[in-house]
């Protein structure tokens, strides 16, 4: 039988990536889009709100990819990701949630959670999020998105993730 890699559990061994930088900023509470700390990591709102409520789940500790996590940590990360989707469905008018994990550009585990809305323009409803011009999307701003961030955080605090 193939050997499973053991979970090192150390951030020091994680590659230096933008994800590690964001996790360090979350730990220091210096990242304005920070929503909440969950069992597997940090929930943050996307710096570009390509869809209102777009969030990411950043693991803590940072690992290169999902398959490096032991089964219990892997299950927790995926459960936390779904809980974020549940919260977005509860506090927005989203009709469904899109989830994505790649790690190609920033080679560290992270999950994108996109709320999708019934009132999206017809030609955009079936498009994947990277088909949009992200530079044209609104930047996260607490005065514009802070109320939604707080509602997401409050819902996450009430649900068992």
């Amino acid at each position: 039988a193939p050997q499973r890699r053991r979970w090192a559990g150390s951030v020091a061994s994680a590659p230096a990536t933008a994800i590690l930088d964001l996790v360090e900023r979350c730990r220091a509470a210096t990242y304005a889009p920070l929503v909440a700390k969950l069992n597997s990591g940090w929930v943050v709102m996307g710096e570009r709100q390509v869809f209102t409520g777009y969030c990411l789940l950043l693991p803590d500790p940072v690992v290169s990819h999902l398959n490096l996590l032991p089964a219990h940590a892997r299950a927790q990360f995926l459960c936390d990701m779904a809980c974020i989707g549940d919260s977005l469905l509860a506090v927005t008018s989203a009709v469904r949630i899109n989830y994505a994990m790649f790690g190609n550009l920033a080679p560290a585990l992270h999950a994108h959670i996109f709320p999708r809305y019934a009132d999206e323009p017809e030609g955009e409803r079936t498009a994947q999020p990277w088909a949009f011009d992200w530079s044209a999307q609104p930047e996260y701003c607490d005065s514009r998105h802070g109320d939604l961030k707080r509602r997401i955080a409050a819902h996450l605090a009430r649900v068992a993730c």
Side-chain angles (χ1 to χ4, degrees):
Q3 286 275 332
R4 276 216 167 158
R5 293 184 190 182
R6 290 194 167 266
W7 168 250
S10 170
V11 173
S13 62
T17 65
I19 302 304
L20 181 57
D21 179 61
L22 291 176
V23 167
E24 289 172 349
R25 291 172 66 191
C26 288
R27 288 179 186 152
T30 60
Y31 190 55
L34 172 61
V35 176
K37 173 70 170 90
L38 299 183
N39 290 322
S40 68
W42 301 92
V43 182
V44 300
M45 292 190 76
E47 291 180 358
R48 291 286 181 169
Q49 287 290 292
V50 64
F51 297 101
T52 302
Y54 161 53
C55 291
L56 295 98
L57 176 58
L58 311 174
D60 193 356
V62 176
V63 295
S64 297
H65 54 85
L66 185 67
N67 302 92
L68 287 178
L69 295 175
H72 71 279
R74 184 183 309 179
Q76 185 66 61
F77 186 85
L78 295 172
C79 184
D80 286 350
M81 182 180 72
C83 284
I84 297 164
D86 291 341
S87 293
L88 288 169
L89 287 169
V91 303
T92 70
S93 61
V95 294
R96 71 181 170 284
I97 305 297
N98 291 164
Y99 301 91
M101 290 187 287
F102 296 106
N104 297 323
L105 186 59
L109 175 62
H110 60 287
H112 300 267
I113 302 106
F114 298 98
R116 300 299 298 257
Y117 299 93
D119 63 354
E120 292 174 27
E122 183 69 32
E124 297 176 1
R125 273 189 213 141
T126 59
Q128 53 90 4
W130 285 270
F132 296 93
D133 178 1
W134 284 49
S135 66
Q137 305 307 315
E139 288 187 48
Y140 173 85
C141 173
D142 199 61
S143 62
R144 183 175 183 175
H145 302 104
D147 180 62
L148 176 57
K149 176 178 78 170
R150 287 181 284 281
R151 286 187 287 132
I152 296 166
H155 190 272
L156 285 167
R158 289 191 306 270
V159 298
C161 288

